[in-house]
Amino acid sequence: MTQLKSQVSRTRARQAPPADDPFRYGWRFVHRPTPDDPSHLEQVPLTLEDVLHPEVGDFIVHSIRHETDQRYLTDVLQARLERTGEAIVMSDIRIAWDVPGLRPHSPDVMVIPGITKRDNWSTFDVAQEGQRPALIIEITSPETRENDLVRKVEHYARAGVAQYVIVDYLEREEPLRLRLLDYRLVGERYVLHPADEHGRVYLESARLWLGIADNHVVCYNERGEVMGNYTAMMEQAEAAQAQAWREAEARAAAEEQARREAEARAAAEERARLAEEQARREAEARAAAEEQARRESEARAAEAAARAAAEEQARREAEARAAAEEQARREAEARAAAEEQARREAEARAAEAAARAEVEARLRELEAELRRLRGEG
């Protein structure tokens, strides 16, 4: 979660900062290019108005006491509400309201019900998320008390925050005193609700009592038991963190072992795969060679068949030519025989005609001789 960063002042809060300290509220870095440095960032002091309506990335000065109580409240409320999914608890997160004209704030602690999953908010947008804080707690600092005691009372009422609690350090008084101010929203205005006989106020949304002990805030559960303290919670957090680290290291070792075993299995599988791939390639090469030999054999067989077919075709064509020539010869012989027959028949007819003519001539001669002999001539 991106938070507005805070700078802890090592000076005791009751000691006022020098009047000429321009950074007593904090600072922000503003992009102001120079001829020598186009990316130049200038450190600009914050005003009281800037602290009231901060921007993401502002550095706001707080005391160690402020930091301690803020962390304690945040840890207790988170442990109380976030584990059950009732609400989320955020600290120093900028919040943009859905009220026209009301600029964003950055409460010390706020409880937002209706949201169970955290997001990486740098600004929580009420309109976009559809939820608003039910409880805001502000811890005063001597230089900025006016914002918490006056202006935020008006602003948070306008924003519709049901309960606004101020942890007010009267740090300019001796001895140091702390008081709790509990504002409850009635209609559109806050009404200051008195503390109980023990000086405690009830946090409605958390079902906890907030009180004061040794000039620090303390939370009490329904049975009146103290909900830890900052040191104890930090020790518990450190112990939990150490346990988490040990568990994380154990998980990391187990994951590393599993990773190595997985890598060994993967390497063995890769070797087996490579061997299978090599065998497959060799089988494919053999199959390709056999296929090539088969194709070459088929090509040779096809070539031989083509030659045989060509030879058969040539033989058949030769036989056809021979048959045609024989047929032509026979037809020529038949024509010659027919012509010879015709010639002979013509000669026979001519001989017969000549013979008839000769016979007729002889007959005529005989007839003439006969007539002569008869004396007829």
Side-chain angles (χ1 to χ4, degrees), residues 297-315:
S297 176
E298 289 179 350
R300 288 193 297 271
E303 184 179 355
R307 284 197 303 272
E311 291 173 357
E312 177 65 16
Q313 179 67 21
R315 184 187 64 76

Side-chain angles (χ1 to χ4, degrees), residues 93-126:
I93 295 296
R94 188 170 179 266
I95 183 167
W97 305 104
D98 57 353
V99 178
L102 185 58
R103 296 168 58 195
H105 298 83
S106 178
D108 289 328
V109 181
M110 57 181 171
V111 174
I112 306 177
I115 295 181
T116 59
K117 183 179 180 181
R118 284 182 171 272
D119 202 347
N120 189 30
W121 292 294
S122 56
T123 296
F124 183 90
D125 191 318
V126 171

Side-chain angles (χ1 to χ4, degrees), residues 250-263:
R251 285 195 302 272
E255 290 172 357
E256 177 65 15
Q257 179 65 21
R259 184 188 64 79
R260 290 179 179 174
E261 292 175 355
E263 288 180 350

Side-chain angles (χ1 to χ4, degrees), residues 74-252:
T74 302
D75 290 343
V76 169
L77 292 172
Q78 283 181 343
R80 178 76 168 182
L81 300 173
E82 292 196 359
R83 286 185 300 181
T84 60
E86 297 176 66
I88 60 169
V89 180
M90 295 191 291
S91 175
D92 281 338
I93 295 296
R94 188 170 179 266
I95 183 167
W97 305 104
D98 57 353
V99 178
L102 185 58
R103 296 168 58 195
H105 298 83
S106 178
D108 289 328
V109 181
M110 57 181 171
V111 174
I112 306 177
I115 295 181
T116 59
K117 183 179 180 181
R118 284 182 171 272
D119 202 347
N120 189 30
W121 292 294
S122 56
T123 296
F124 183 90
D125 191 318
V126 171
Q128 181 176 339
E129 302 297 337
Q131 298 291 341
R132 70 184 63 250
L135 168 66
I136 286 180
I137 302 175
E138 296 283 12
I139 303 169
T140 63
S141 295
E143 298 297 326
T144 60
R145 286 180 74 232
E146 177 187 351
N147 282 346
D148 297 325
L149 296 177
V150 180
R151 304 184 69 183
K152 289 182 182 179
V153 173
E154 175 193 352
H155 291 180
Y156 291 161
R158 287 176 58 194
V161 178
Q163 185 177 15
Y164 172 35
V165 175
I166 304 174
V167 180
D168 185 26
Y169 282 100
L170 305 174
E171 296 185 343
R172 298 190 186 279
E173 297 187 9
E174 293 290 348
L176 177 68
R177 289 195 307 111
L178 185 153
R179 64 174 179 169
L180 300 176
L181 301 175
D182 179 16
Y183 287 96
R184 308 289 181 90
L185 191 63
V186 178
E188 297 181 354
R189 295 180 179 275
Y190 275 138
V191 174
L192 186 60
H193 194 276
D196 70 358
E197 66 274 15
H198 303 292
R200 302 172 185 174
V201 301
Y202 188 64
L203 306 181
E204 296 280 354
S205 57
R207 303 183 308 283
L208 292 175
W209 288 91
L210 181 63
I212 301 169
D214 297 327
N215 275 327
H216 281 284
V217 290
V218 178
C219 290
Y220 302 87
N221 61 19
E222 298 90 336
R223 296 182 298 276
E225 299 168 339
V226 175
M227 299 289 290
N229 58 65
Y230 178 70
T231 302
M233 294 188 71
M234 288 300 294
E235 290 175 351
Q236 293 172 4
E238 290 174 358
Q241 183 67 28
Q243 179 65 21
W245 274 110
R246 287 192 293 272
E247 293 175 355
E249 288 176 351
R251 285 195 302 272

Side-chain angles (χ1 to χ4, degrees), residues 22-42:
F23 297 100
R24 60 185 177 274
Y25 299 134
W27 59 86
R28 68 174 54 137
F29 288 95
V30 179
H31 181 218
R32 291 180 178 172
T34 65
D36 297 331
D37 184 6
S39 302
H40 176 70
L41 295 176
E42 182 176 341

